Amino acid sequence: MNNSEVIYGINGPVVYIKGPTEFKMAEMVYVGKEHLVGEVIALSKDMTTIQVFEETTGLKPGEEVISTHDAICVTLAPGILTNIFDGIERPLAEIAKNSGAYINRGVNVDSLDMEKNWQVHMIISPGTYVEGGSIIAEVPETRAITHKVMIPPDLEGTIESVVEDGEYNITLTLAVLRLRDGSTRNLTMMQKWPIRIPRPIKNRFPANAPLITGQRILDTLFPIAKGGTAAVPGGFGTGKTMTQHQIAKWSDADIIVYIGCGERGNEMTQVLEDFSKLVDPKSGNPLMDRTVLIANTSNMPVAAREASIYTGITLAEYYRDMGYDVAIMADSTSRWAEALRELSGRLEEMPAEEGFPAYLASRLSAFYERAGMAENLNGTNGSVSIIGAVSPQGGDFSEPVTQNTKRFVRCFWGLDKSLAYARHFPAIHWLTSYSEYLNDLSPWYNSHVGPNFMECRNQIVALLNQESSLMEIVKLIGSDVLPDDQKLVLEIARVIRLGFLQQNAFHPEDTCVPLEKQLKMMEVILYLYKRSRELINMGMPVSVLKEDDIFEKVISIKYDVPNNRLNMMGDYFKAIDDFYDGVIARN
Amino acid sequence: MSIEYMGLSEINGPLIAIEGIKDGAYDEIVEITVDHKEKKIGRIVEMYKDKAVIQVFESTDNMSLTNCHTRLTGHPMEIGLSEGLLGRTFNGIGEPIDNLGPVIAETRRNVNGKPLNPVSREYPRNYIRTGISAIDGLTTLIRGQKLPIFSGNGLPHDQLAAQIVRQASLGENSDDEFAVVFAAMGVKYDVAEYFKKTFEESGVSSHVCMFLNLANDPVVERLITPKVALTAAEYLAFEKGMHILVILTDMTSFAEAMREVSSSKGEIPSRKGYPGYLYSELATIYERAGIVNGSTGSVTQIPILTMPNDDITHPIPDLTGYITEGQIVLDRSLNGKGIYPPINVLPSLSRLMKDGIGEGFTREDHQDVANQLFSSYAKVGEARALASVIGEDELSPLDRKYREFGKAFEEKFVGQGFNENRTIQETLDLGWELLKLIPRSELDRINTKILDKYYPVVEN
């Protein structure tokens, strides 16, 4: 069998080989003297096309292309968490050690540390019959996460022998497996999995629990389920990255996979710095302990950008298989779509809408469908939730990436330019956003937070909608002509916008808010509305109500009531009653 | 030992093709001699077996299929670097045009650069004081940032850039060396001359290194100019420890050049005829701003681009905004009101600002004042819209206060003299002065403690 071919032509990241070859589709190959990593993307009788994941400057026709007989794979073993990788799972810190501040080409480093010894605790004994996914050992990977060593999904058989508990590196044999056909296989902590193929599961479940993010507008108004999918579209400067950072920091997922796909280098540096410093409020460990970063910044090679999304989701699926809830932040899927467009252009494929290839929609759907709540092969339950940022061209949501994404996600958090200009953050617009998980999750909220949660939520949404239709009138003729009960709606909506929807990511109390406080805040606001409306119905003008500072006080509940002292909320109901009595007494 | 290839097989605009080449590499630089006299250089942009497609950096006039000799240089585009670059003027591909002879190079570098490893970056935190209130106060420039100016034809972006260069200071620890790398792509002669004159008049010329590709210079040369300039900037910053401010003007010409070359290569166009790799190509330029771990220098970029038809959603400003860390947007209607600099603060943004201001950097109240000014000025727009419908007389007293605030904000805060250099203190105090035009209860973005300190309740 022919193991190598020679390069015929080079055009940017695309390399051609003349004539029929033995290569397979999606096979990983090494290109040229420097062994640049590439992938076979098209085969024909006359020409084989390869996309190269590294800069091709200096490559010459006639240089070798070597087959590896394998698809592009990621290495799965302890050592993934706390790490930062490029788009094809090469550790950036190791690359920096080898080649300095700039990324050289053809760097040959192992994805994971092969030398490091891990404390292994075997939980299986000889003679046990095991299938793909079965857990054979446990390794404390970080302070927060126990890594479960599993049988690769495609193997089954009887365990012949196991090693003692102790320190091993990821290349050493932990157990010997006798397969059905009588042959034996040595099992280590390490396995490989091709990035473009979803890891198998036993069953999928519908969503039934929310991914709690501590962000009021998300948790209360537009919740996402564990195993759900959400899109965060917004023009530049509207806060996509900020929203993703907040969810990565504060959501109640066990593992976070953060994919910086074609974004800014400084942003990745910031995540690295912040997450190492910040402490997870639940476990008390650094946030980095549960995080893995994939950084393929905009100036790194475009083909690796295309792969980074798949690398990220494969890592996420691997941790899901251990029974963890994993959340992926993909920032931004538009850059990934543009990488597709760029490569498609190089291949001279027929462009569809806006120059994007016609297969954009099917690639997007295949990606988002890898999310879900699942029963794994080993019987544990885990989930992969995807939160994808979308950077629409010109902030216009009608462009192909946003539109196609909308078809495949069930949560849409639309960021709004005018809110961002007024520095209302998070700039998620309550009128354009939606969550299809509301009905699925209502029972959970009502039984876990409070039986009136959904009712309060719906009242808040109704008030905001009323405000928006009143604003249409105000824009035309000013607010003075409105009757007092409608003026009150505007006042209360202002309280909701400033006191509830606006959330300060840089304020220690306000950056992450527990659901109980979110509910209490809604109750206080609605109670204020109820009491004020009673006054209005008695004929009091809104200006009288505004003489008291109760509205401002309610707005600053978010800062004034610490998250761990929710009993202080009772004072506000009393203050509202006092305000009510006071107004009556004075008038 | 170098082989010369006789003749060409094709000439098409800036592109030529040669067949029968041995050992040509993708992205390699070639030297073409026309009629044994004139030397031109080009870059291999496509390579098929023995056929190379070459992009010529100068005009292909006078070239014929027979009168050219081509020699492979065996390396990609390089530039010689040393501290001697400062005070010099070069053309778009780094050849001296100031008649001062060649620069004695300490080292040579590939101009394409390499991606900076995110783990080797240092997060930028120190601000640069520009003395311009709208920038210092609301969109603070941070060392190592890339902050473009989105402008339109006829707006004073050149003056603004020149003012920034003249007034930029590093604040307290100003003993660090500060220098400017200026790259002009397809700009008018007058513009290049304007910058040259400004640098001379303000006495900074000896700390400026200029790369000039004028509007009538070869289009292809433009594609390499920013890369040459940034290679020089990186060298001066990370090896000589200087703080470098890079001005790139005009990025629109750069993108136009890319479209022109792409179309003559017969590539499939994507949005508005620009090639699909426009984003990646812009990113390789903008992402070269930053700070490297363990180095004392920094590369700060101020790219200037003129938005075609003032359209911020045009692919060039749009893609730029997605890569850069914010933007400063100039506005034609402010310019029409005679306000200089005509910075429209609402769409303007500095993403790195939040980490480089406040206590220890500028002043404790900086972030709050900025947020409040943004939020209040956004309301001015609503009040104005309402006034245009129902007339000024019908406005509520509060809306009138907002209109008054808006006018003062534009004239006093945004507007300032071309030679006026304000300190951060002055800028922030001015901000407070303006905020006092609106009632204290409207200031909902400011922490109560700070409000009490700077805007005490007046007992009447």
Side-chain angles (χ1 to χ4, degrees):
Chain A
M1 184 163 171
N2 202 348
N3 271 337
S4 80
E5 296 284 345
V6 294
I7 299 176
Y8 169 74
I10 306 136
N11 176 8
V14 177
V15 165
Y16 299 99
I17 299 170
K18 188 98 175 172
T21 59
E22 300 276 333
F23 293 138
K24 288 176 286 198
M25 270 303 271
E27 178 175 344
M28 179 170 130
V29 292
Y30 291 119
V31 179
K33 286 195 300 254
E34 291 179 273
H35 284 209
L36 311 179
V37 179
E39 180 181 22
V40 179
I41 51 173
L43 289 168
S44 79
K45 216 162 59 197
D46 311 316
M47 196 74 88
T48 300
T49 314
I50 292 164
Q51 63 175 356
V52 182
F53 293 115
E54 298 176 72
E55 184 72 38
T56 50
T57 299
L59 214 55
K60 293 174 182 175
E63 285 187 33
E64 232 178 4
V65 179
I66 303 164
S67 160
T68 63
H69 305 294
D70 248 332
I72 298 268
C73 284
V74 285
T75 306
L76 302 167
I80 293 173
L81 293 178
T82 73
N83 224 327
I84 173 165
F85 299 105
D86 77 351
I88 45 175
E89 212 204 8
R90 288 183 302 189
L92 287 171
E94 283 302 309
I95 293 180
K97 264 188 226 155
N98 289 342
S99 67
Y102 293 93
I103 300 174
N104 277 335
R105 296 184 303 164
V107 209
N108 203 352
V109 287
D110 294 319
S111 292
L112 301 171
D113 192 337
M114 300 284 173
E115 311 283 307
K116 180 171 176 178
N117 279 323
W118 298 91
Q119 188 63 46
V120 178
H121 169 56
M122 301 302 298
I123 59 163
I124 204 150
S125 47
T128 324
Y129 183 77
V130 290
E131 290 174 325
S134 301
I135 297 165
I136 59 166
E138 286 180 346
V139 178
E141 186 174 356
T142 64
R143 274 153 289 188
I145 301 295
T146 304
H147 192 106
K148 302 190 174 134
V149 181
M150 295 173 291
I151 308 273
D154 47 354
L155 296 183
E156 60 179 306
T158 313
I159 296 287
E160 286 228 321
S161 63
V162 296
V163 296
E164 296 281 308
D165 286 5
E167 293 211 331
Y168 300 91
N169 69 33
I170 61 175
T171 59
L172 293 175
T173 302
L174 297 183
V176 177
L177 180 71
R178 182 164 296 277
L179 302 178
R180 278 229 183 118
D181 61 6
S183 62
T184 58
R185 186 73 77 91
N186 292 341
L187 300 175
T188 65
M189 274 182 256
M190 186 168 61
Q191 52 177 297
K192 297 213 169 205
W193 192 262
I195 59 172
R196 297 190 199 273
I197 298 174
R199 283 175 68 86
I201 51 170
K202 204 181 270 172
N203 260 317
R204 260 186 83 163
F205 300 125
N208 55 24
L211 181 75
I212 300 162
T213 62
Q215 311 304 305
R216 285 187 293 265
I217 185 156
L218 303 184
D219 289 346
T220 300
L221 261 50
F222 311 109
I224 175 177
K226 286 210 169 80
T229 49
V232 194
F236 52 82
T238 50
K240 290 182 298 298
T241 303
M242 216 36 227
T243 309
Q244 298 251 14
H245 282 193
Q246 285 297 94
I247 301 174
K249 281 177 192 164
W250 306 120
S251 74
D252 68 341
D254 301 311
I255 310 268
I256 300 287
V257 178
Y258 196 103
I259 310 170
C261 172
E263 288 286 313
R264 305 174 181 88
N266 279 335
E267 265 168 18
M268 295 317 292
T269 312
Q270 189 194 2
V271 175
L272 263 182
E273 278 186 21
D274 278 7
F275 282 39
S276 311
K277 265 184 279 167
L278 282 171
V279 168
D280 181 0
K282 291 179 291 286
S283 66
N285 297 317
L287 280 173
M288 208 56 210
D289 271 15
R290 62 163 194 179
T291 311
V292 51
L293 299 176
I294 315 263
N296 213 86
T297 56
S298 54
N299 55 340
M300 283 155 79
V302 66
R305 190 194 307 162
E306 193 264 335
S308 65
I309 289 269
Y310 296 104
T311 300
I313 196 149
T314 310
L315 296 182
E317 286 175 341
Y318 177 61
Y319 281 93
R320 175 205 63 202
D321 289 350
M322 298 176 201
Y324 290 116
D325 291 317
V326 188
I328 299 185
M329 311 295 136
D331 188 11
S332 137
T333 57
S334 291
R335 303 292 155 243
W336 168 74
E338 271 160 25
L340 279 185
R341 173 165 75 182
E342 189 171 330
L343 293 165
S344 160
R346 298 269 191 191
L347 299 176
E348 308 194 340
E349 291 170 341
M350 181 75 78
E353 208 179 341
E354 297 256 15
F356 286 104
Y359 46 78
L360 172 69
S362 58
R363 294 280 173 90
L364 272 172
S365 65
F367 168 66
Y368 281 108
E369 275 305 296
R370 285 175 79 167
M373 174 78 103
E375 184 190 355
N376 298 316
L377 295 178
N378 54 25
T380 55
N381 288 346
S383 68
V384 174
S385 318
I386 303 181
I387 292 128
V390 182
S391 321
Q393 301 159 359
D396 169 15
F397 289 178
S398 67
E399 57 91 43
V401 182
T402 317
Q403 283 309 315
N404 283 314
T405 303
K406 244 180 153 172
R407 288 165 52 208
F408 308 119
V409 299
R410 293 186 62 200
C411 234
F412 187 82
W413 299 328
L415 296 172
D416 188 80
K417 218 177 205 168
S418 57
L419 288 178
Y421 283 180
R423 302 307 190 257
H424 170 117
F425 286 117
I428 295 168
H429 202 284
W430 46 94
L431 297 176
T432 54
S433 305
Y434 60 80
S435 166
E436 292 176 16
Y437 295 109
L438 267 180
N439 289 337
D440 301 338
L441 298 177
S442 293
W444 189 95
Y445 275 104
N446 289 342
S447 62
H448 286 78
V449 196
N452 55 342
F453 190 93
M454 275 299 143
E455 199 190 311
C456 289
R457 183 254 172 209
N458 292 341
Q459 284 187 43
I460 294 276
V461 173
L463 281 167
L464 288 168
N465 277 313
Q466 269 185 51
E467 184 205 22
S468 109
S469 47
L470 290 176
M471 282 314 279
E472 302 275 308
I473 305 173
V474 172
K475 261 182 211 151
L476 288 177
I477 50 175
S479 60
D480 285 355
V481 294
L482 291 182
D484 278 321
D485 60 329
Q486 296 190 341
K487 276 188 198 157
L488 177 66
V489 171
L490 292 186
E491 279 306 321
I492 285 294
R494 176 168 166 266
V495 174
I496 296 173
R497 278 190 286 112
L498 299 183
F500 191 78
L501 299 182
Q502 256 184 39
Q503 192 164 351
N504 187 342
F506 305 106
H507 190 282
E509 288 297 330
D510 203 31
T511 184
C512 171
V513 182
L515 288 178
E516 290 70 28
K517 184 174 172 190
Q518 300 188 17
L519 175 61
K520 282 271 181 267
M521 288 172 76
M522 286 196 287
E523 284 173 355
V524 170
I525 293 171
L526 291 172
Y527 189 66
L528 175 65
Y529 179 54
K530 180 169 164 260
R531 294 302 254 179
S532 310
R533 207 176 40 191
E534 285 168 17
L535 291 170
I536 298 280
N537 288 345
M538 284 178 217
M540 313 265 180
V542 168
S543 51
V544 174
L545 308 188
K546 287 284 286 179
E547 281 164 12
D548 202 284
D549 65 348
I550 186 75
F551 285 84
E552 308 308 319
K553 256 174 135 168
V554 171
I555 287 176
S556 58
I557 286 182
K558 58 180 178 181
Y559 299 138
D560 298 344
V561 178
N563 292 337
N564 53 5
R565 296 192 49 203
L566 294 185
N567 52 346
M568 280 171 68
M569 285 291 197
D571 304 347
Y572 285 89
F573 290 103
K574 201 170 160 296
I576 293 171
D577 284 335
D578 290 348
F579 147 75
Y580 177 85
D581 297 337
V583 173
I584 294 207
R586 266 181 276 131
N587 296 283
Chain B
M1 74 141 263
S2 60
I3 308 169
E4 293 213 341
Y5 297 95
M6 289 264 293
L8 307 173
S9 59
E10 199 182 322
I11 304 179
N12 173 12
L15 297 179
I16 59 173
I18 308 180
E19 278 167 33
I21 286 202
K22 279 203 196 83
D23 234 21
Y26 178 73
D27 225 13
E28 181 172 346
I29 290 296
V30 298
E31 271 181 22
I32 306 148
T33 317
V34 184
D35 274 342
H36 301 286
K37 300 193 290 262
E38 202 184 347
K39 271 212 162 86
K40 294 174 192 281
I41 62 172
R43 183 173 77 100
I44 299 183
V45 292
E46 271 175 56
M47 191 71 220
Y48 297 101
K49 201 168 179 206
D50 62 347
K51 179 184 171 191
V53 179
I54 296 166
Q55 193 177 67
V56 184
F57 289 125
E58 288 148 76
S59 123
T60 48
D61 292 358
N62 277 332
M63 290 171 81
S64 81
L65 295 182
T66 50
N67 70 352
C68 296
H69 294 253
T70 309
R71 190 176 67 82
L72 301 179
T73 61
H75 57 74
M77 184 79 190
E78 285 181 343
I79 168 180
L81 298 164
S82 77
E83 278 182 81
L85 289 171
L86 290 174
R88 300 290 306 270
T89 306
F90 305 89
N91 69 3
I93 46 175
E95 295 165 348
I97 50 169
D98 49 7
N99 300 324
L100 293 174
V103 172
I104 295 147
E106 221 169 79
T107 171
R108 295 186 71 77
R109 280 293 146 74
N110 180 347
V111 301
N112 290 313
K114 277 181 284 190
L116 187 52
N117 194 327
V119 301
S120 305
R121 273 183 192 270
E122 194 173 305
Y123 190 69
R125 284 188 198 279
N126 263 322
Y127 74 102
I128 296 179
R129 189 166 68 85
T130 64
I132 297 164
S133 290
I135 297 178
D136 288 352
L138 301 176
T139 50
T140 318
L141 179 64
I142 306 288
R143 270 182 238 173
Q145 187 176 18
K146 37 198 181 289
L147 188 65
I149 299 176
F150 286 7
S151 182
N153 295 311
L155 294 179
H157 44 264
D158 295 330
Q159 283 89 315
L160 181 59
Q163 187 174 6
I164 294 174
V165 168
R166 273 189 296 118
Q167 300 183 351
S169 84
L170 298 169
E172 320 78 65
N173 41 345
S174 52
D175 50 326
D176 286 342
E177 279 202 79
F178 193 62
V180 176
V181 171
F182 178 84
M185 285 122 352
V187 302
K188 289 167 282 216
Y189 171 81
D190 296 348
V191 172
E193 204 53 36
Y194 171 80
F195 276 104
K196 223 188 250 177
K197 217 173 78 202
T198 321
F199 295 152
E200 273 163 19
E201 279 170 5
S202 48
V204 293
S205 309
S206 61
H207 276 85
V208 178
C209 164
M210 297 182 92
F211 295 89
L212 301 179
N213 167 278
L214 300 184
N216 57 349
D217 286 338
V219 169
V220 181
E221 191 180 289
R222 231 161 264 175
L223 293 175
I224 219 86
T225 310
K227 298 184 179 179
V228 172
L230 285 163
T231 308
E234 280 172 353
Y235 170 80
L236 293 171
F238 304 136
E239 280 174 41
K240 298 292 163 191
M242 295 183 199
H243 293 287
I244 305 291
L245 185 65
V246 184
I247 310 258
L248 303 167
T249 180
D250 168 345
M251 288 307 289
T252 307
S253 308
F254 170 81
E256 294 293 339
M258 208 148 73
R259 176 161 71 175
E260 189 175 331
V261 172
S262 160
S263 122
S264 59
K265 269 160 83 179
E267 289 174 342
I268 293 190
S270 80
R271 246 170 109 200
K272 291 214 169 165
Y274 294 96
Y277 47 83
L278 178 65
Y279 179 82
S280 302
E281 197 64 25
L282 287 174
T284 55
I285 291 174
Y286 297 138
E287 276 290 323
R288 289 172 81 169
I291 306 178
V292 176
N293 256 342
S295 153
T296 52
S298 64
V299 174
T300 310
Q301 280 187 21
I302 303 188
I304 298 174
L305 56 91
T306 47
M307 299 181 280
N309 198 23
D310 293 354
D311 177 10
I312 199 169
T313 66
H314 184 280
I316 301 168
D318 191 41
L319 295 180
T320 298
Y322 279 122
I323 307 164
T324 54
E325 284 138 352
Q327 63 277 336
I328 293 171
V329 183
L330 302 192
D331 185 83
R332 205 168 286 281
S333 68
L334 281 179
N335 191 46
K337 286 184 197 166
I339 290 163
Y340 170 87
I343 296 175
N344 184 358
V345 298
L346 292 183
S348 300
L349 168 76
S350 164
R351 288 168 188 270
L352 301 183
M353 171 175 173
K354 58 182 192 302
D355 297 309
I357 60 167
E359 208 152 11
F361 297 102
T362 54
R363 208 167 82 179
E364 46 171 3
D365 56 328
H366 193 155
Q367 186 71 58
D368 283 6
V369 171
N371 287 347
Q372 188 61 56
L373 285 171
F374 275 124
S375 154
S376 300
Y377 187 61
K379 284 195 190 135
V380 171
E382 290 166 24
R384 282 182 182 163
L386 192 58
S388 68
V389 178
I390 59 173
E392 239 165 275
D393 296 345
E394 302 294 317
L395 282 184
S396 67
L398 183 62
D399 282 338
R400 265 185 236 181
K401 283 203 175 121
Y402 268 112
R403 274 173 54 89
E404 199 186 319
F405 163 78
K407 192 159 178 287
F409 176 79
E410 286 168 4
E411 284 170 5
K412 291 190 192 156
F413 191 87
V414 176
Q416 70 182 77
F418 179 58
N419 289 312
E420 192 179 347
N421 192 349
R422 293 184 192 152
T423 65
I424 293 274
Q425 308 294 331
E426 283 168 354
T427 294
L428 293 177
D429 290 344
L430 188 57
W432 279 109
E433 197 181 297
L434 295 170
L435 287 175
K436 286 177 186 165
L437 293 174
I438 37 186
R440 193 182 131 119
S441 62
E442 284 289 304
L443 305 184
D444 47 23
R445 303 300 171 89
I446 301 182
N447 187 311
T448 328
K449 264 188 221 140
I450 288 181
L451 206 52
D452 287 341
K453 182 168 169 191
Y454 293 93
Y455 191 165
V457 188
V458 191
E459 303 289 338
N460 39 355

